Amino acid sequence: MGWLTEPLQFTFMQTGLLATVLVGGTCAVLGVYVVLRSMAFIGDALAHTILPGLVAAYLLGLNLLGGAVVAGVATALGIGWLSRRGTLREDTAIGVTFTGMFALGILLMSTTGSFRDFSHMLFGNVLGIVPRDLVLISVLALLVLGFLFLFHKELELTSFDPTHARAMGLEADKIRYGLLVLLSLTVVAGVQAVGVVLISALLITPAAAASLVTNSLPRMMAISAAIAVFSGVAGLYASYFFDVASGAAIVLACTTCFGVATVVRVLQQGLGKGSSA
Amino acid sequence: MRDPSLPYGHRRHTDAVPGAPALAARSVSAGYAGTPGPALTDVSLRVPAGARVALVGPNGSGKSTLLKAVAGLLPVRSGEIRIYGNPVGACHHRVAYLPQRGEVDWRFPISVRRLVTTGRYVHLGWLKRPGRKDREVVSRVMEDLGLTPLAERQIGQLSGGQQQRALLARALVQDGDLLLLDEPLNAVDAGTRETISKVLSELQRRGKTMVVATHDLAILASEFDGALYLREGREVEPEPGAFAGLPVGRGAAWVG
């Protein structure tokens, strides 16, 4: 069992593991709402739109994650505003905003003449996370999970019956805005782990896998978080021992879990049919 | 403790105006956002407290639109709606609304018990969780509607009639005084129909007021005190021989 503890002697592995667990857990729990409310597209879009924030902050010598938060929240509110009351269909508003922001990020990158410095933004580098980033990630994770806990009943109700929510004076739109802001904060927290290109995998894949094997919301959140944490750790170890990109390894571990969940689902249904026949 | 009558959005509780009818709609026109024409034109309705009134008409006649306008889900374009003498929203915790089944995402991972419990949220507001009293009310109403054996099922695993009973249970746990029921008997089995009819009669006995959208004319005479006939968003005369009962539409005595 020495191989399990061997990587832990390095501080960068300790920091990386802690960051992965925090980010993976947060993404996976919030991701359950992303999956159940069919917000996969906007999750992916928000991830891409924080790129110009990251690059601008880098060029100006400011805090990277701060720049990302500003860009993410601005996009979340912008998409909500563009698609208010049916002015534009929401997926159209998302498509326009996200490609524009991503292009702006690439444009800013190209002004430096080299994309090399930015590869960790695109693809993540969880082993490059320093303790100061870890503090910010923890704060974001606490904020997101705290919000989900405190407003669980409102989030749940507006997800499956927005009409009833409105009939009691609870504006489903406000909850939606809140969720979009949380989503952008989560994306920012996760971007260092897996990068802007792959972050939506952490949001969607574990939650999608969990939705295949259970019919209870709290259990779905727990399973989703467990899958994400397991995948994070497995991906990091794979990256350590086989010297492959950590972000991609984490995402592929999630995808594998999803494959397993699909098989479990098929078996469950087969058994269900067998017993009822 | 937080005043339970201060629900979401800080709309305040207002006492009923003495002697006012449970519901008074005067020349109301209403429509959906993004559509130019109104779905409801110049409709009047007066429902005394404790009465059971039917809205009768084919699909698209404006029954749901009228109920939504009363529930505060649609803005009124002209005319006026008063509930116990107060404007819409003044005491909306007293107005329970039963939507059609299609408004709910039945695949959502939530149990029947939790779905019914959401009917109590109007009394809870932000941050408060359902307490013992809420759980008691939920259990009692679920028992009345024969939902107890189904309590822990995911809502999508219910039959149409069971889903309808679950939605009715949610409307009832709110313990409102004016119930707006949109097609509660639409496409349900005979057993569910009987259960629901019995529960509605019991509610009327306890002084609740009900406005029920229906396209089923057969049950009217025995179950309702009056009926408003709608077609293409306007009030129409009942067909000869159809149930009339108390005048509740344009012909109703407009007092107060």
Side-chain angles (χ1 to χ4, degrees):
Chain A
M1 296 302 274
W3 64 272
L4 264 182
T5 47
E6 182 206 316
L8 294 178
Q9 60 187 301
F10 301 106
T11 317
F12 67 86
M13 275 299 278
Q14 291 168 2
T15 319
L17 270 174
L18 207 53
T20 312
V21 167
L22 280 170
V23 164
T26 312
C27 281
V29 174
L30 183 65
V32 167
Y33 280 119
V34 174
V35 166
L36 291 175
R37 297 173 69 125
S38 307
M39 291 167 76
F41 183 43
I42 198 170
D44 194 29
L46 278 177
H48 284 76
T49 58
I50 66 170
L51 188 68
L54 284 170
V55 178
Y58 176 83
L59 294 176
L60 297 170
L62 302 171
N63 183 292
L64 291 187
L65 295 188
V69 169
V70 172
V73 172
T75 310
L77 299 179
I79 289 171
W81 183 76
L82 275 177
S83 57
R84 77 201 178 284
R85 302 223 168 262
T87 326
L88 264 185
R89 283 174 60 102
E90 191 188 69
D91 56 343
T92 309
I94 295 169
V96 170
T97 317
F98 122 67
T99 47
M101 291 287 275
F102 197 59
L104 178 64
I106 294 174
L107 190 94
L108 287 175
M109 278 186 185
S110 68
T111 59
T112 65
S114 159
F115 285 86
R116 213 174 53 83
D117 291 346
F118 301 108
S119 76
H120 64 278
M121 291 180 189
L122 289 172
F123 304 114
N125 179 17
V126 72
L127 299 180
I129 291 177
V130 297
R132 198 170 50 106
D133 299 330
L134 201 57
V135 172
L136 192 77
I137 290 175
S138 312
V139 171
L140 290 177
L142 265 180
L143 209 69
V144 172
L145 294 177
F147 187 96
L148 290 183
F149 178 75
L150 288 177
F151 300 105
H152 177 75
K153 81 179 188 306
E154 287 79 12
L155 279 164
E156 185 180 69
L157 176 60
T158 54
S159 296
F160 79 89
D161 194 353
T163 308
H164 183 238
R166 280 182 50 221
M168 65 170 71
L170 174 61
E171 290 298 331
D173 279 350
K174 271 188 202 155
I175 295 287
R176 200 186 138 69
Y177 267 118
L179 206 53
L180 287 178
V181 171
L182 287 191
L183 204 52
S184 52
L185 294 180
T186 310
V187 164
V188 169
V191 77
Q192 282 188 302
V194 290
V196 294
V197 182
L198 290 178
I199 179 75
S200 69
L202 274 188
L203 280 169
I204 295 158
T205 310
S211 77
L212 289 177
V213 294
T214 179
N215 262 335
S216 138
L217 187 58
R219 238 177 290 156
M220 199 176 283
M221 290 179 164
I223 294 175
S224 178
I227 290 176
V229 168
F230 167 79
S231 303
V233 176
L236 264 194
Y237 272 78
S239 142
Y240 176 86
F241 285 111
F242 306 114
D243 196 22
V244 291
S246 54
I250 292 170
V251 170
L252 282 176
C254 289
T255 315
T256 309
C257 290
F258 178 80
V260 172
T262 312
V263 173
V264 169
R265 163 86 166 192
V266 169
L267 289 179
Q268 273 177 346
Q269 283 181 335
L271 287 177
K273 264 182 205 143
S275 61
S276 66
Chain B
M1 208 183 85
R2 195 189 159 114
D3 181 349
S5 62
L6 261 184
Y8 289 110
H10 307 289
R11 292 196 239 184
R12 282 180 180 282
H13 172 75
T14 316
D15 285 325
V17 173
L23 171 62
R26 202 190 291 255
S27 304
V28 166
S29 297
Y32 296 88
T35 57
L40 195 69
T41 312
D42 196 24
V43 167
S44 296
L45 175 67
R46 186 176 193 281
V47 183
R52 204 184 327 177
V53 166
L55 305 178
V56 190
N59 286 335
S61 57
K63 310 186 297 287
S64 296
T65 311
L66 179 54
L67 290 182
K68 284 186 173 164
V70 175
L73 293 169
L74 272 184
V76 169
R77 291 187 183 176
S78 66
E80 185 188 35
I81 296 177
R82 295 215 158 238
I83 298 166
Y84 294 104
N86 295 309
V88 171
C91 42
H92 69 308
H93 61 287
R94 298 177 65 185
V95 181
Y97 170 66
L98 172 81
Q100 293 196 29
R101 284 209 296 281
E103 308 260 350
V104 175
D105 176 6
W106 293 99
R107 291 168 310 169
F108 197 83
I110 185 173
S111 69
V112 176
R113 184 184 298 280
R114 257 193 99 79
L115 169 77
V116 175
T117 307
T118 61
R120 297 293 303 168
Y121 289 3
V122 67
H123 301 295
L124 296 172
W126 301 108
L127 302 181
K128 255 174 85 179
R129 297 195 173 226
R132 202 179 67 187
K133 189 190 165 220
D134 301 306
R135 286 196 293 273
E136 281 169 7
V137 174
V138 167
S139 292
R140 180 165 46 74
V141 172
M142 284 179 61
E143 185 65 40
D144 289 348
L145 282 162
L147 290 166
T148 309
L150 308 169
E152 304 313 320
R153 292 245 190 115
Q154 191 264 332
I155 53 175
Q157 296 170 350
L158 302 185
S159 71
Q162 292 166 340
Q163 288 180 345
Q164 193 66 58
R165 277 187 272 150
L167 287 183
L168 181 62
R170 177 175 74 177
L172 298 188
V173 298
Q174 184 180 331
D175 201 22
D177 297 317
L178 172 63
L179 284 88
L180 310 170
L181 311 177
D182 200 348
E183 300 275 7
L185 298 177
N186 192 15
V188 300
D189 54 284
T192 294
R193 182 175 286 249
E194 201 175 304
T195 312
I196 291 180
S197 293
K198 215 164 67 190
V199 167
L200 296 189
S201 300
E202 167 64 20
L203 286 170
Q204 189 173 25
R205 210 180 50 73
R206 280 170 35 210
K208 306 288 185 186
T209 310
M210 276 165 274
V211 183
V212 183
T214 179
H215 58 249
D216 191 341
L217 293 163
I219 51 167
L220 286 181
S222 60
E223 306 228 327
F224 290 98
D225 302 311
L228 180 73
Y229 289 81
L230 293 169
R231 192 172 286 271
E232 286 167 8
R234 291 174 188 274
E235 179 181 350
V236 292
E237 289 298 317
E239 282 168 29
F243 166 77
L246 274 178
V248 292
R250 238 179 275 127
W254 283 94
V255 187

